[in-house]
Amino acid sequence: MADISMQTVPTVTFKEGACKNDLRVVLNNTPNDMIRKVPSTSRFQVDRVDSVTDDPDDVNNSVDDAESPAFRNKDDSRQSFESPVFGSPPVSPTDTYASHNSFSNPYETNFKTFGKYTTEALPHMDHYRNLLSATTAMKSRPTLAELHEEKDNDENFRSKGRDKLLASDEQLVEKGLKKSQEKGALKFGWIKGVLIRCLLNIWGVMLFMRLSWVVGQSGVGMATLIILLSAVVTTLTSLSMSAICTNGEVRGGGAYFMISRSLGPEFGGAIGLVFSVANAVAVAMYVVGFAETVRDILKEHNALMVDEENDIRIIGVLTITLLLFIAIIGMEWEARAQVILLVLLLVAIVNYMIGTFIPPSPEQVSKGIVGYKGEVFVDNLGPKYTNGENFFSVFAVFFPAATGILAGANISGDLKNAQKNIPKGTFYSILISTIVYIGVAWILGATIMREASGYATTALQSVIVGNASVNGTFLSVVNNTLQPSAVSLASNCSLGKDGTCEYGLLHDYRAMEISSGFGPLVTVGIFSATLSSALASLVSAPKVFQAVCKDKIFPKIHIFAKGYGASDNPRRAYLLAYFIGLGFICIGDLNAIAPIISNFFLMSYALINYSCFDASLARSPGWRPAFKYYYMWLSLLGALVCIAVMFIINWWTALITFAVIAFLFVYVHYTKPDVNWGSSTQAHVYRSALQSALKLLAVEDHIKNFRPQILVLTGLPSSRPALVDFVYTLTRKISLMMCGHILIGNQGDCLREINKNKSGIVYQWFKQRKVKSFYSVTSAPTFRQGAQSIMQNVGVGKLRPNILVMGFKSDWRTTHHEEVDGYFNTIHDAFDLQFGVGILRVSEGFYNEPNQNDSGNESLVQHKLDADEEEVPSYPSTPTMLRKHSRSSEGSLPDNGDTPERDDSHHLLVYENLLKQQDRFAKKQRGTIDVWWLFDDGGLTLLIPYILTTKLYWGNCRLRIFIAGTKRGEIDREQRQMATLLSKFRIECKEITVIADIGKSPEKKSEVEFDKLLDGWMLDEEKGETQEKYPWKISEEEKDLLQDKTKRNIRLKELLVKHSSDASLVVMTLPMPRKGTCPTGLYMAWLDTLTRDMPPILLIRGNQSSVLTFYS
């Protein structure tokens, strides 16, 4: 009886899952022990389910563990997914989420993986793809937030989990999805795509017309060595190329793609452009070679159209136009043409080999073709260089024939599997072509004399008539007794025209054609070789150039990146290559350009080898080639050999090649295209930085090598551009700068802000403002704890800040006392950690509200004109405080401490002033830098302004130094002592002022103004306030104890107004607060008094360690 349960239609119910607004599908089927699972070819066993139940019993009932595949057959490693609906195909383990486009809603289903419910995703190829390179609907893994956040906050973690694509990115994805629906592009395997193209390019004209000359000059032995040496160079390059192209997916662009992704856009862009032009010009070279052969045939039959030179142009133009039509029609027709040309080439080779076994005719013997003879082979075994030739010059002639190994790689985008096709096809082509070249060279050496007169036909015939045997045939005479006489006559150059030999290996480029079975077939082979090479170059040049244009490395050429059809055919680039080739064909004679083209190809080979070496040397974890038969030092050897061959071929064309590559390299380096390919250059930057940082640990500190490494608490750097600019002026090109950003709150509340700022927005702003700085963001319950964290942990090794710089907290009188106390105690903490401390104040303040929507643009300030209470900034001026109740992550009051008026006109005036002042330190300064070096802090108060005078923006400012006098009558002596000290420090300063009355009591008016600053900060004991409860307030005892310091600071303010009110910058020694003695309010009043209503003023103090020395 049939199992009725198997025929039961499953019911589908809906349950609300753990996440809100997400309905899950549950299949309530018959008992699990009656269900037979459908076998699948999948390697993994994962049961797919569509609900998450809250009842553990329901879990056990829905899928019985005892009947699950994992338990039912533990030894079977090939288990399948259960199909959620009967009759549907098994679910693939790659269908991690919904089977439809995951861009729309990739989280509609959950899965039971290894017997447990989970939203985890199994490894899948789509998870590792570049999103913008997608051509089909892609799956994506769940984000960290979607796995880690609480489920009861579904909306929150979904909003955190995945940012929306930019509009441009969405268009690219939609374009890729649309393209995937079109007819699939034609792709080639390793035979049609690589092997055939490489063989056609490697054999070429060299096989039929110049190899005989190579054997005649170098002999069979040296010719074999030349062929093998060429094969070694190409093999080394192919090993490197195979390693590179198996280290990731290879797309269109061939050599350009491999070099650019390995060495970066500088080398890649230079080679891509040069390689494209070289291939375009090579089209003209091959077409001209074809046209010259046709011209010779026409000349032989007295059928010239115009004259010899113009016939080459006419035939060349017609030929390249025909090749253009073949290329534009599509790669399929081009591939068919290549196959036909290869067949013709192979027929020509076989025709020659057959001809060598046919006994030679009298005319052939007179021209040195004598058949297989041992004495001829022995005579041709060694070299016999003529006309100043040598091994290297002959090698230079032959080697360009081996430069065809990139023919397959150049169409990497049209290969089915470039990672497998390129290595396999290239190595087979090198092996086959090398065997054929060596075989033909040996046959040439065994069958053709090195030199033959070609003019001894009459003499040979007389010898034959007088000594002919009974059969009377020439064949019997030559084969028996007369051959030595015939050979000796043919080798007698005095019998030749004008007493010279015109035939044989050394003189006759048509020797192979004469000795072949049917001469015209060799001509067909020459046609096939030239046309196939021309067609391959005409396809390669646009393909490579299209890849360069797509990457937008060079300006104004992106129009050539457009492709047409499913194969992305670069028709515009085809037309460009066509016109370049057409121009060079009209020149007619390309002999002078040929060595440059060969050197361009060799430079590509050299850089491919160097790319492999460099990637191996960088030891990046991302360098994992599937091809294991490479060795980094062999790659370096290959690069050096290629460069040596360049100079062997032609030293001045090698220099031209280097100059062109260097020019393009420098251009791309300085234009800095916005690309990130994970090149080995980037890996080397990291490796070099790491090694340098480790080396620095072994270097002992010395005063002469002191550098001001500054941690500046800027908050979000774009909110305080003037503060960033000032500090960067100090550190530019000499030392470390670190922008610190403290977010007040717990980590969970600040996480979004932290991740957003760490994602690169801040460094983009640095790049646009041309600031070279690091950025560190942290969250903490209080400003002080955040500052402690940054000061203790920021930096690596000896690349750590030694100076802390902050803006002055101008709202200290109106903000919460706890915030002011944290700011004050941060100064204590900095000194405890052996930091120098600097506090910079400008009259208009530093804070500019950053434009959160466009932090990278020039518009860094938003105008807030709304009169609504919530829109008015709270203006906390602590450099790095984040207010939860403020819409901005930063806020700051102008330094006058007054709250802005609420009318729109005042707001507009304030922000217009901020816009003017945000660049105040990013332009040239005029006037003086007044240095009030009141106390010896190790010299930092003097060193900082001196460094400023060496910078571009402050170079026109002169130093004026003010010091405190000890005795009224010794001002001159103290002035001379300071001048001597400055001279020893090699700091030039012509204006030194000794302030003798610094100890004078301040005016009563100044003291009254100071006392007003303390309103609200005095301890009111009548109200029960104690220092334990209000440590930041000032008791009467503390005020009296520090009365002398207070008066001195008030007096200093009077002197500052008198002497330095017109300075461009004032640098003064920062008053030192003593722990347990100086309360917060009093110290802030000191700083406010010194800095209010002054030009930009920097209060700075070192850590009492010397930073200046006069010893060498």
Side-chain angles (χ1 to χ4, degrees):
M1 182 176 180
D3 191 347
I4 298 177
S5 64
M6 292 298 293
Q7 302 175 4
T8 304
V9 178
T11 61
V12 180
T13 62
F14 292 89
K15 289 186 179 182
E16 185 174 355
C19 296
K20 300 177 182 178
N21 304 322
D22 186 13
L23 294 179
R24 313 296 172 81
V25 182
V26 181
L27 296 175
N28 295 326
N29 301 321
T30 54
N32 293 324
D33 57 350
M34 303 181 71
I35 298 177
R36 299 293 179 263
K37 296 179 175 58
V38 181
S40 169
T41 58
S42 172
R43 292 180 57 192
F44 302 100
Q45 184 280 317
V46 181
D47 291 337
R48 173 172 172 168
V49 298
D50 294 311
S51 75
V52 178
T53 179
D54 295 329
D55 188 357
D57 294 332
D58 292 340
V59 175
N60 295 330
N61 291 333
S62 62
V63 179
D64 190 350
D65 286 344
E67 288 295 322
S68 66
F71 286 85
R72 182 159 37 86
N73 189 359
K74 293 184 179 180
D75 296 331
D76 188 3
S77 61
R78 299 179 60 84
Q79 302 291 346
S80 67
F81 283 77
E82 280 190 57
S83 178
V85 179
F86 290 115
S88 63
V91 179
S92 168
T94 60
D95 291 335
T96 309
Y97 305 113
S99 60
H100 57 280
N101 184 1
S102 65
F103 287 122
S104 59
N105 188 359
Y107 306 104
E108 291 185 355
T109 59
N110 283 340
F111 298 89
K112 188 178 184 189
T113 306
F114 309 118
K116 302 294 181 182
Y117 291 107
T118 178
T119 56
E120 297 277 15
L122 293 179
H124 189 272
M125 187 186 300
D126 281 357
H127 302 164
Y128 299 90
R129 289 189 188 277
N130 182 350
L131 178 62
L132 300 184
S133 67
T135 57
T136 58
M138 291 205 326
K139 308 178 191 307
S140 57
R141 72 170 69 87
T143 65
L144 180 62
E146 288 162 341
L147 294 175
H148 186 242
E149 294 291 338
E150 297 180 10
K151 286 191 175 182
D152 59 358
N153 194 12
D154 179 64
E155 293 295 330
N156 182 40
F157 85 74
R158 282 183 182 273
S159 63
K160 284 184 182 180
R162 181 171 284 100
D163 294 332
K164 291 184 178 180
L165 294 176
L166 300 175
S168 59
D169 297 345
E170 290 179 348
Q171 292 176 1
L172 289 173
V173 173
E174 290 176 2
K175 184 178 179 182
L177 295 175
K178 183 178 179 181
K179 202 164 189 176
S180 67
Q181 299 171 358
E182 300 177 356
K183 181 181 177 181
L186 179 66
K187 299 291 184 180
F188 303 111
W190 70 275
I191 296 178
K192 290 182 70 174
V194 183
L195 179 65
I196 292 177
R197 297 171 187 276
C198 289
L199 287 177
L200 287 170
N201 274 264
I202 293 174
W203 280 332
V205 180
M206 176 65 66
L207 181 64
F208 297 104
M209 299 189 67
R210 300 305 295 269
L211 185 59
S212 57
W213 178 86
V214 170
V215 175
Q217 290 285 349
S218 297
V220 175
M222 287 298 181
T224 303
L225 183 61
I226 288 173
I227 296 170
L228 290 176
L229 182 58
S230 301
V232 167
V233 175
T234 54
T235 301
L236 291 177
T237 304
S238 298
L239 289 172
S240 301
M241 182 173 64
S242 300
I244 294 172
C245 69
T246 59
N247 190 52
E249 185 176 346
V250 178
R251 291 178 292 180
Y256 159 73
F257 184 87
M258 288 183 280
I259 294 173
S260 62
R261 269 53 177 183
S262 296
L263 294 179
E266 293 87 356
F267 279 115
I271 281 298
L273 200 59
V274 166
F275 195 75
S276 302
V277 174
N279 272 286
V281 177
V283 175
M285 290 178 55
Y286 295 127
V287 169
V288 168
F290 169 78
E292 286 178 346
T293 306
V294 176
R295 187 271 319 268
D296 292 340
I297 295 175
L298 293 176
K299 181 180 178 181
E300 187 176 343
H301 295 82
N302 296 319
L304 291 176
M305 292 177 285
V306 182
D307 55 48
E308 294 185 13
E309 206 169 291
N310 286 312
D311 277 15
I312 292 176
R313 296 189 177 99
I314 294 171
I315 298 169
V317 170
L318 294 175
T319 303
I320 194 173
T321 303
L322 175 63
L323 295 178
L324 175 67
F325 282 128
I326 294 174
I328 286 183
I329 288 173
M331 291 295 294
E332 183 176 2
W333 285 92
E334 186 267 348
R336 290 175 181 173
Q338 294 282 24
V339 172
I340 294 172
L341 293 173
L342 179 63
V343 171
L344 294 176
L345 191 61
L346 291 174
V347 168
I349 294 173
V350 172
N351 171 58
Y352 164 71
M353 292 185 175
I354 292 174
T356 61
F357 291 98
I358 299 176
S361 65
E363 184 179 359
Q364 287 178 317
V365 173
S366 69
K367 294 180 179 180
I369 301 169
V370 296
Y372 289 96
K373 292 300 170 187
E375 58 269 24
V376 174
F377 181 80
V378 172
D379 184 62
N380 290 334
L381 191 59
K384 185 180 180 181
Y385 298 111
T386 60
N387 300 325
E389 300 291 348
N390 54 47
F391 176 84
F392 293 106
S393 64
V394 176
F395 176 78
V397 171
F398 175 82
F399 185 80
T403 58
I405 61 170
L406 290 180
N410 288 337
I411 62 164
S412 54
D414 296 300
L415 300 176
K416 292 180 180 178
N417 188 342
Q419 292 179 308
K420 293 182 179 179
N421 297 154
I422 292 176
K424 189 174 183 180
T426 305
F427 282 122
Y428 272 112
S429 65
I430 293 174
L431 177 64
I432 295 172
S433 61
T434 301
I435 292 173
V436 171
Y437 266 120
I438 292 176
V440 172
W442 281 54
I443 293 173
L444 287 169
T447 60
I448 303 177
M449 299 168 58
R450 184 170 265 139
E451 291 183 293
S453 62
Y455 200 69
T457 305
T458 304
L460 285 171
Q461 287 177 347
S462 64
V463 172
I464 293 168
V465 171
N467 299 280
S469 59
V470 177
N471 58 21
T473 62
F474 174 79
L475 179 61
S476 62
V477 173
V478 172
N479 286 341
N480 294 294
T481 61
L482 298 181
Q483 187 175 1
S485 300
V487 171
S488 62
L489 288 173
S491 62
N492 188 351
C493 291
S494 61
L495 298 177
K497 185 178 180 180
D498 299 327
T500 59
C501 286
E502 294 182 349
Y503 297 95
L505 296 174
L506 285 175
H507 306 292
D508 189 6
Y509 292 158
R510 298 177 60 198
M512 284 187 66
E513 180 181 350
I514 296 173
S515 62
S516 64
F518 183 62
L521 281 181
V522 174
T523 303
V524 172
I526 295 173
F527 288 167
S528 174
T530 53
L531 292 177
S532 63
S533 298
L535 186 57
S537 297
L538 186 59
V539 170
S540 298
K543 290 285 186 181
V544 175
F545 191 63
Q546 182 188 33
V548 177
C549 297
K550 283 183 177 180
D551 290 334
K552 298 180 180 179
I553 293 178
F554 297 99
K556 311 299 183 184
I557 62 173
H558 60 277
I559 59 173
F560 296 103
K562 183 174 178 57
Y564 297 86
S567 296
D568 201 27
N569 228 15
R571 295 177 185 172
R572 296 177 181 178
Y574 278 136
L575 291 175
L576 179 63
Y578 168 75
F579 284 111
I580 292 175
L582 203 63
F584 280 95
I585 286 172
C586 292
I587 295 175
D589 184 12
L590 301 177
N591 291 335
I593 303 176
I596 298 179
I597 304 305
S598 296
N599 274 336
F600 282 171
F601 289 134
L602 278 168
M603 178 58 78
S604 302
Y605 295 174
L607 287 180
I608 289 175
N609 281 296
Y610 182 74
S611 298
C612 181
F613 167 76
D614 195 58
S616 302
L617 186 65
R619 298 178 182 175
S620 172
W623 175 248
R624 303 184 303 274
F627 183 83
K628 301 299 182 182
Y629 304 103
Y630 75 95
Y631 184 55
M632 59 181 292
W633 298 110
L634 282 179
S635 298
L636 179 61
L637 176 63
L640 296 176
V641 170
C642 288
I643 293 174
V645 172
M646 289 174 62
F647 284 92
I648 289 172
I649 291 176
N650 193 308
W651 66 269
W652 61 269
T653 57
L655 293 179
I656 291 176
T657 303
F658 275 101
V660 171
I661 297 296
F663 171 78
L664 294 174
F665 178 92
V666 172
Y667 173 81
V668 177
H669 179 74
Y670 281 99
T671 54
K672 290 181 171 47
D674 187 17
V675 295
N676 181 15
W677 294 326
S679 65
S680 60
T681 305
Q682 294 172 308
H684 274 298
V685 170
Y686 172 83
R687 186 167 176 261
S688 177
L690 181 62
Q691 291 177 342
S692 297
L694 292 172
K695 284 182 180 179
L696 196 58
L697 290 174
V699 178
E700 295 185 7
D701 294 330
H702 194 281
I703 299 174
K704 290 192 297 183
N705 294 325
F706 173 83
R707 295 172 185 267
Q709 302 185 112
I710 299 177
L711 168 63
V712 52
L713 299 184
T714 60
L716 190 64
S718 58
S719 67
R720 290 179 176 80
L723 181 59
V724 173
D725 290 338
F726 179 83
V727 175
Y728 179 60
T729 302
L730 284 169
T731 61
R732 185 172 184 266
K733 294 185 178 181
I734 65 169
S735 61
L736 172 72
M737 175 180 173
M738 178 73 70
C739 291
H741 185 183
I742 302 170
L743 300 174
I744 306 303
N746 60 60
Q747 179 174 303
D749 294 338
C750 301
L751 197 58
R752 179 187 292 271
E753 190 76 14
I754 291 174
N755 290 333
K756 183 184 74 173
N757 293 330
K758 287 172 64 177
S759 65
I761 295 177
V762 172
Y763 287 100
Q764 183 182 359
W765 184 86
F766 283 156
K767 181 179 180 181
Q768 183 178 2
R769 204 164 180 89
K770 298 181 179 179
V771 171
K772 295 181 180 178
S773 171
F774 294 99
Y775 169 75
S776 179
V777 59
T778 189
S779 62
T782 65
F783 171 77
R784 182 185 182 185
Q785 290 177 331
Q788 288 175 340
S789 175
I790 289 184
M791 285 189 289
Q792 291 176 24
N793 300 316
V794 77
V796 56
K798 291 193 175 181
L799 294 175
R800 291 181 178 275
N802 50 30
I803 299 173
L804 174 69
V805 172
M806 299 185 291
F808 178 68
K809 188 171 180 57
S810 56
D811 64 341
W812 68 277
R813 295 177 59 207
T814 57
T815 192
H816 297 291
H817 292 170
E818 291 85 351
E819 289 186 10
V820 183
D821 191 54
Y823 177 87
F824 169 69
N825 282 296
T826 298
I827 300 175
H828 281 305
D829 296 335
F831 285 128
D832 288 342
L833 295 171
Q834 297 296 304
F835 276 68
V837 176
I839 297 176
L840 181 65
R841 183 174 186 177
V842 292
S843 59
E844 67 278 358
F846 288 115
Y847 182 77
N848 290 320
E849 186 171 354
N851 187 341
Q852 299 295 338
N853 296 325
D854 194 9
S855 62
N857 289 348
E858 292 182 2
S859 177
L860 300 174
V861 179
Q862 286 181 324
H863 296 271
K864 293 271 189 177
L865 301 179
D866 296 334
D868 185 72
E869 177 68 26
E870 294 181 0
E871 292 294 310
V872 177
S874 61
Y875 295 107
S877 68
T878 301
T880 52
M881 289 203 176
L882 175 70
R883 297 294 201 129
K884 294 180 183 177
H885 59 272
S886 174
R887 292 187 59 181
S888 169
S889 64
E890 301 295 337
S892 180
L893 247 164
D895 279 6
N896 56 20
D898 298 328
T899 304
E901 297 294 333
R902 300 180 57 80
D903 59 279
D904 292 354
S905 61
H906 181 77
H907 276 293
L908 183 60
L909 182 63
V910 168
Y911 281 108
E912 283 181 351
N913 186 48
L914 290 177
L915 285 170
K916 292 178 182 178
Q917 296 299 332
Q918 66 176 341
D919 292 332
R920 67 171 303 155
F921 294 123
K923 56 186 178 182
K924 287 193 174 183
Q925 308 292 320
R926 307 284 180 180
T928 63
I929 299 177
D930 290 358
V931 183
W932 290 70
W933 194 12
L934 304 177
F935 307 103
D936 193 346
D937 60 344
L940 189 63
T941 306
L942 182 61
L943 179 62
I944 293 298
Y946 166 74
I947 292 175
L948 284 175
T949 61
T950 64
K951 302 298 182 177
L952 177 63
Y953 292 155
W954 295 88
N956 294 326
C957 296
R958 67 183 190 277
L959 285 179
R960 297 193 305 185
I961 296 181
F962 298 84
I963 60 174
T966 56
K967 296 181 180 179
R968 185 175 296 274
E970 297 184 356
I971 292 179
D972 290 340
R973 183 180 63 81
E974 292 174 348
Q975 192 173 23
R976 288 194 300 271
Q977 286 179 343
M978 177 56 63
T980 302
L981 183 60
L982 293 177
S983 176
K984 286 181 175 294
F985 287 150
R986 301 167 305 282
I987 296 176
E988 182 179 356
C989 180
K990 297 181 179 179
E991 298 183 44
I992 301 175
T993 303
V994 180
I995 307 297
D997 56 349
I998 197 171
K1000 180 181 176 182
S1001 296
E1003 298 179 0
K1004 291 296 182 181
K1005 178 182 177 182
S1006 300
E1007 293 187 26
V1008 172
E1009 291 179 354
F1010 179 83
D1011 289 338
K1012 289 181 180 179
L1013 295 176
L1014 302 182
D1015 291 346
W1017 286 88
M1018 295 301 296
L1019 192 67
D1020 193 347
E1021 296 180 352
E1022 295 180 358
K1023 293 182 179 180
E1025 294 181 350
T1026 62
Q1027 284 191 317
E1028 290 76 15
K1029 192 174 181 180
Y1030 300 94
W1032 52 83
K1033 289 198 172 185
I1034 312 165
S1035 65
E1036 289 295 337
E1037 293 80 3
E1038 291 172 331
K1039 183 178 179 182
D1040 293 340
L1041 178 65
L1042 299 173
Q1043 184 177 7
D1044 291 340
K1045 287 188 176 182
T1046 299
K1047 289 184 176 182
R1048 183 175 64 202
N1049 287 318
I1050 298 173
R1051 174 59 181 164
L1052 281 174
K1053 175 57 180 292
E1054 295 174 347
L1055 294 172
L1056 282 170
V1057 172
K1058 178 180 178 180
H1059 294 282
S1060 298
S1061 58
D1062 60 344
S1064 297
L1065 177 68
V1066 178
V1067 181
M1068 174 179 276
T1069 306
L1070 176 72
M1072 176 64 76
R1074 185 177 293 276
K1075 286 184 179 180
T1077 302
C1078 183
T1080 301
L1082 186 60
Y1083 187 76
M1084 295 301 297
W1086 290 351
L1087 300 186
D1088 200 352
T1089 299
L1090 290 171
T1091 58
R1092 180 182 290 270
D1093 300 325
M1094 289 294 296
I1097 180 170
L1098 174 65
L1099 302 178
I1100 191 165
R1101 179 180 282 269
N1103 61 4
Q1104 301 305 116
S1105 297
S1106 296
V1107 297
L1108 292 171
T1109 181
F1110 44 78
Y1111 294 106
S1112 59

